[in-house]
Amino acid sequence: QVQLVESGGGLVQAGGSLRLSCAASGIILSINIMGWYRQAPGKQRELVATITSGSRITYSDSVKGRFTISRDNAKRTVYLQMNNLKPEDTAVYYCNHKAFTSVGSSPRYDSWGQGTQVTVSS
């Protein structure tokens, strides 16, 4: 299994920036997808951004142009740089790691971090 530890959340004014980090430990397969999801009060958890082990990146439309996901494989860490934050970005942000034994297979492991709160004041 994979253990994920997030950091970097907090309170920021609208227009400000935050950087989230997520460090992974445990069984790391070479084919994996790391990503960030968020859940606001009363809403379902939604995808924010993902990055594959081959550095293919996906963003939700709501964060395109404002958020940047990146990863440091040597440190087993994924980052989410969040700029021009808006009050609607307020949520608990969760790190996710999906590991695959082969391309196109179902995830062998699907792990979640404990979540970190991001609050954007207007």
Side-chain angles (χ1 to χ4, degrees):
Q1 273 289 6
V2 175
Q3 294 76 45
L4 303 172
V5 178
E6 300 130 330
S7 60
L11 173 64
V12 65
Q13 289 187 333
S17 298
L18 284 174
R19 188 193 195 205
L20 305 183
S21 299
C22 172
S25 61
I27 300 174
I28 306 293
L29 301 182
S30 59
I31 303 172
N32 60 74
I33 302 174
M34 296 191 76
W36 292 95
Y37 293 72
R38 66 187 181 187
Q39 187 166 18
K43 295 187 177 182
Q44 289 188 330
R45 190 172 297 188
E46 63 175 4
L47 180 147
V48 176
T50 62
I51 182 168
T52 71
S53 45
S55 297
R56 179 173 294 180
I57 292 173
T58 302
Y59 294 104
S60 69
D61 288 342
S62 62
V63 307
K64 278 182 183 176
R66 300 188 298 122
F67 291 11
T68 302
I69 190 170
S70 62
R71 61 189 289 165
D72 184 331
N73 291 327
K75 296 181 179 179
R76 296 182 172 184
T77 300
V78 64
Y79 305 96
L80 186 68
Q81 177 67 43
M82 305 185 293
N83 297 328
N84 190 22
L85 282 159
K86 303 176 180 180
E88 52 263 42
D89 294 318
T90 295
V92 177
Y93 283 69
Y94 296 91
C95 180
N96 175 255
H97 180 281
K98 292 182 173 60
F100 305 83
T101 55
S102 62
V103 175
S105 65
S106 297
R108 177 68 176 87
Y109 302 108
D110 189 354
S111 306
W112 292 90
Q114 80 283 358
T116 185
Q117 177 70 46
V118 171
T119 303
V120 184
S121 62
S122 57

